[in-house]
Amino acid sequence: LARLASSGKRTMRRAAVLALGMTGDMRVNHDLGMALKDADRGVRLLADTWLREIWLRDGNPQQQQKLRSVVRANQNFEFELVEAVTTQLIHENPALAEAYHQRAIACACLGEYDDAMADLHMTLELNPYHFAAAAALAQALLELDDHVAALDCFQRALGLNPSLEGVRARVQQLQRQLDS
């Protein structure tokens, strides 16, 4: 499937990315990460969707369940709960990149930007394809008025996932600001 996801006809690449996403775990992270740069928009959209799902399939079943619950808690603005649960998850399994990412989201929402940035760096160290962490790191740097570093991080996110149009707009905006 990994070979088919990167070569052949468009429909075959789409089918392979879909199959990898539906059945895979973090072992297909690289293959789906590479599919984000495919010439076909359909392949890119599938890769984006399934990567986000794959990131929640890391760890054992109980850890995966907790990851899904912290995503919901972040969406419900329960940031203190997210910090507590993700800290426990990270203690159990320090290799859970998505636990660091979710804790970073909560920290940033609480204004704890240094902690958020540390967790985002760890997310990217554990999962170099985590374009959402790169974009979130850029946003945290903007909050701290470090526009040059933010631009670098936005460009990194765009390099990982060229389909991030909102990030592309931020890159252009920051480049204009820094050039003037």
Side-chain angles (χ1 to χ4, degrees), residues 17 35-36 40-50 163:
V17 167
L36 289 170
D40 179 61
R41 185 174 191 275
V43 171
R44 294 191 310 268
L45 289 172
L46 286 166
D48 182 305
T49 299
W50 286 107
S163 296

Side-chain angles (χ1 to χ4, degrees), residues 58-59 63 86-101 103 119 121-127:
D58 203 5
Q63 292 165 345
T86 53
T87 298
Q88 178 198 11
L89 272 170
I90 291 165
H91 180 73
E92 289 174 23
N93 185 348
L96 284 175
E98 192 58 26
Y100 288 97
H101 179 239
R103 186 169 72 178
D119 280 347
H121 282 293
M122 191 58 157
T123 302
L124 287 162
E125 184 176 315
L126 293 168
N127 181 357

